[in-house]
Amino acid sequence: MFTQEMLDSMKKVEAAREANVALEPRRMTAAEKDALLAQYHPDYRPEGFTTIKIGPNKGEKAPVELNEMLEGHSRVLDLNVNLNKIDYDVDVLVIGGGGAGSSAAIEANEAGANVMIVTKLRIGDANTMMAEGGIQAADKPGDSPAQHYLDVMGGGHYANRPELVRKLVMEGPEAIQWLNRLGVEFDKAPDGTMITTHGGGTSRKRMHAAADYSGAEIMRTLRDEVLNRGIPVVDFTAAIELIKDDEGKAAGAVLLNMETGEIRVARAKCVVIATGGAGRMHYQGFPTSNHYGATADGLILGYRAGAKLLYQDTLQYHPTGVAFPQQIYGALVTEKVRSMGAKLINSEGECFMHPLETRDVAAASIIRECSTHEKGVPTPAGKAVWLDTPMIDMIHGKGTLEKRLPAMLRMYLKFGIDMRETPILVYPTLHYQNGGLEINAEGMTSVENLFVAGEAVGGIHGRNRLMGNSLLDVIVFGRNAGQQTGRRFRSVTVGKLTLDHVKAYDDDLKAAGIDSDTPSPKLLPDYTRKFN
């Protein structure tokens, strides 16, 4: 299945493998990293961005595809929505059924709130489910939340919101124990001690994992807890607009049944946006590792309601997405592969970077090899580099890769590639939305009673996220949103429901000379082929 050109390059990788295993590549200096990012990282390509023309972030830049939705035509403007007919009346409405939304619902329910989850796919159809490598927390001797804090800030280029990072790292150990008590099957030594490993940009081994399906295991456990508690889940139903009351507070959402097209109204004392990421927007044409519903819809809803965006111009391109075979193009190859010793190798068999540089640096390095250095391996989808996976068993002993990366091994075996014997081809894939809606330390936006948790939040990770901190943030900030709304709902009285803010936003668009007929937000990607 490999081309002759791939096979010729693979021979060079195999010939240099023993020397590359022993090689200790130096880490880049801060100046070298900055220069590399400025030249090769997609976040620095001016053609990928445009200026926001209205709203709280007017004058700032945003990805072209996101801005198209910010300037799009609200779906409710063409509907006759009867806000006096309440279909769902709850204390806490959680929009999104991934790790953050489920954690929020569990904690709000624990606090006594009448809580409901609404999700446009099914509970668990989320980026949480796709996460492989693990979840960070400083809970081992020789480590500390303070050290974790420094790693997070450094990885985020010190653009992180300190109060959010402090919460992330301080509540990390308890988040692990909470998951452990709920039944997550973490990797453990015979004495019950959790096994931890390094990740890119980490100074300590604090990555807790469940083989290479950590997110799936966490999501399985959270989903079971939601269902066991009897928390209502309205699936295949999208929130297409937030509802406010006559005092300007978040008060629910207009819902669209994705199967029947029916419109429903949900009234709530508090609303939690936990809609996840944006990979299916395919910024700058990149493939994505994200699940099918990751379309940045929560950002659009929050922005039109008056919440501010933060770092909306920064995305994470995971350095190791599948580049071959085409059937799984863009799928995630977990960073755990590199943390276990596999190195990135160019077409000439050269190890061109330290395997555990931060993700933005690693992605930019791969793009450099495939472009300026012309040392990429040709594939049907473009150039790629090798990730020399046979190194893992060479370093740790035969059987290690199969034991620690079983899902990854099975994925490749389906296509006749045995990554224990053969290196794999990788290229950066759109993986994570670093930016999102701005929140305070309690998780609330500038719109009263509107909370955000998970990947839809901006500021936690600054301008680049370290491996394992996304699973941690969905738990820490998901639980936080549930706890905060679980306390707050008791003192909230919802006023008259209104969609006036949607009409006002549309008027601002027209005043700025923008009259789009593009439905907004985007609910699902469109992969249908257009034929003439």
Side-chain angles (χ1 to χ4, degrees):
M1 68 183 303
F2 291 103
T3 66
Q4 189 59 50
E5 202 165 3
M6 291 177 187
L7 292 171
D8 290 344
S9 177
M10 195 185 299
K11 288 178 182 177
K12 295 178 183 179
V13 176
E14 292 168 347
R17 182 170 293 143
E18 192 169 334
N20 281 331
V21 166
L23 182 67
E24 287 291 338
R26 72 172 182 86
R27 289 189 180 270
M28 296 183 193
T29 66
E32 287 172 331
K33 291 178 184 179
D34 289 344
L36 177 74
L37 293 171
Q39 187 170 358
Y40 295 105
H41 196 276
D43 279 357
Y44 293 80
R45 294 175 180 169
E47 66 273 17
F49 301 88
T50 190
T51 302
I52 300 172
K53 295 183 177 64
I54 71 163
N57 294 82
K58 180 180 178 180
E60 298 180 16
K61 72 174 184 176
V64 170
E65 298 84 354
L66 179 64
N67 197 62
E68 182 183 14
M69 289 296 106
L70 293 175
E71 295 181 353
H73 184 71
S74 172
R75 294 169 183 270
V76 304
L77 292 173
D78 299 325
L79 301 172
N80 183 21
V81 181
N82 184 0
L83 295 180
N84 295 315
K85 183 180 180 298
I86 309 300
D87 298 287
Y88 305 101
D89 202 358
V90 297
D91 297 324
V92 179
L93 175 66
V94 178
I95 303 172
S102 297
S103 298
I106 291 166
E107 290 290 8
N109 175 267
E110 182 70 17
N114 173 17
V115 58
M116 182 177 84
I117 294 174
V118 58
T119 177
K120 62 186 176 184
L121 295 172
R122 301 165 299 178
I123 183 171
D125 288 335
N127 280 348
T128 303
M129 192 75 178
M130 317 289 282
E132 298 171 348
I135 175 171
Q136 283 204 54
D139 60 357
K140 289 289 187 72
D143 198 2
S144 70
Q147 189 62 48
H148 190 183
Y149 178 93
L150 293 173
D151 288 347
V152 176
M153 293 295 288
H157 300 284
Y158 300 97
N160 322 55
R161 288 293 168 89
E163 67 276 14
L164 302 183
V165 181
R166 184 179 189 279
K167 187 175 191 69
L168 179 78
V169 301
M170 292 298 289
E171 297 183 16
E174 166 55 23
I176 296 293
Q177 289 307 313
W178 185 68
L179 291 172
N180 192 49
R181 291 194 297 271
L182 287 179
V184 172
E185 296 284 352
F186 286 112
D187 295 339
K188 296 177 181 177
D191 65 357
T193 303
M194 290 195 191
I195 296 170
T196 52
T197 58
H198 270 301
T202 61
S203 59
R204 301 289 188 277
K205 292 182 177 180
R206 65 172 74 96
M207 204 68 59
H208 304 67
D212 60 345
Y213 44 83
S214 304
E217 172 61 11
I218 288 171
M219 194 66 245
R220 174 197 67 81
T221 306
L222 294 175
R223 182 178 57 232
D224 285 353
E225 184 68 13
V226 166
L227 298 178
N228 288 341
R229 284 173 172 263
I231 295 171
V233 179
V234 182
D235 55 14
F236 297 112
T237 299
I240 58 172
E241 208 64 77
L242 294 179
I243 298 170
K244 298 169 81 171
D245 69 11
D246 51 5
E247 294 183 355
K249 300 174 183 176
V254 180
L255 309 178
L256 169 67
N257 185 305
M258 301 285 283
E259 296 178 301
T260 67
E262 294 173 282
I263 298 297
R264 294 287 182 262
V265 172
R267 179 169 62 185
K269 296 175 180 177
C270 296
V271 178
V272 179
I273 289 177
T275 51
R280 294 292 166 170
M281 300 290 277
H282 293 289
Y283 296 131
Q284 300 188 41
F286 270 80
T288 186
S289 62
N290 283 192
H291 81 105
Y292 192 57
T295 56
D297 46 345
L299 273 59
I300 307 303
L301 300 184
Y303 192 75
R304 277 208 285 260
K308 190 175 182 181
L309 296 171
L310 183 64
Y311 305 145
Q312 70 279 353
D313 60 328
T314 173
L315 287 302
Q316 182 167 93
Y317 297 82
H318 196 292
T320 54
V322 175
F324 182 84
Q326 278 187 289
Q327 295 96 320
I328 49 173
Y329 180 57
L332 178 65
V333 176
T334 173
E335 194 168 305
K336 188 174 182 179
V337 178
R338 285 180 288 133
S339 74
M340 293 178 67
K343 291 176 181 174
L344 290 161
I345 311 294
N346 64 25
S347 62
E348 300 304 307
E350 301 162 342
C351 177
F352 57 89
M353 58 164 284
H354 192 285
L356 291 179
E357 291 285 8
T358 55
R359 287 178 173 178
D360 54 350
V361 171
S365 296
I366 292 170
I367 293 170
R368 178 196 62 197
E369 292 301 301
C370 293
S371 55
T372 303
H373 288 184
E374 296 184 353
K375 292 184 178 181
V377 182
T379 77
K383 296 290 184 71
V385 299
W386 297 104
L387 183 56
D388 199 3
T389 49
M391 286 184 173
I392 293 174
D393 281 358
M394 281 183 66
I395 295 168
H396 302 287
K398 191 173 179 63
T400 301
L401 190 151
E402 183 176 7
K403 180 180 179 182
R404 300 289 296 279
L405 298 163
M408 188 70 51
L409 177 62
R410 286 196 300 270
M411 180 176 76
Y412 274 98
L413 284 174
K414 286 179 182 177
F415 301 99
I417 297 173
D418 188 340
M419 58 189 291
R420 295 168 296 189
E421 306 294 334
T422 303
I424 57 177
L425 287 161
V426 295
Y427 190 80
T429 184
L430 184 53
H431 183 60
Y432 192 81
Q433 175 179 266
N434 290 324
L437 293 165
E438 185 176 26
I439 61 171
N440 61 22
E442 283 69 51
M444 192 166 72
T445 69
S446 57
V447 178
E448 194 167 344
N449 298 336
L450 178 62
F451 291 75
V452 190
E455 195 170 343
V457 172
I460 300 171
H461 308 290
R463 305 191 74 85
N464 178 65
R465 178 181 63 79
L466 299 184
M467 172 192 180
N469 282 339
S470 59
L471 282 179
L472 181 60
D473 100 51
V474 303
I475 303 302
V476 168
F477 287 91
R479 293 185 70 199
N480 171 74
Q483 292 160 357
Q484 294 291 338
T485 56
R487 286 192 287 267
R488 191 178 187 87
F489 83 91
R490 301 180 191 278
S491 61
V492 173
T493 300
V494 178
K496 182 181 177 182
L497 302 186
T498 175
L499 290 168
D500 288 350
H501 65 284
V502 182
K503 180 63 169 62
Y505 189 91
D506 189 58
D507 289 343
D508 287 345
L509 283 173
K510 289 175 179 173
I514 301 165
D515 190 9
S516 171
D517 59 1
T518 301
S520 173
K522 179 178 290 206
L523 301 180
L524 294 173
D526 181 5
Y527 295 122
T528 57
R529 292 185 179 183
K530 304 296 191 295
F531 296 98
N532 294 324

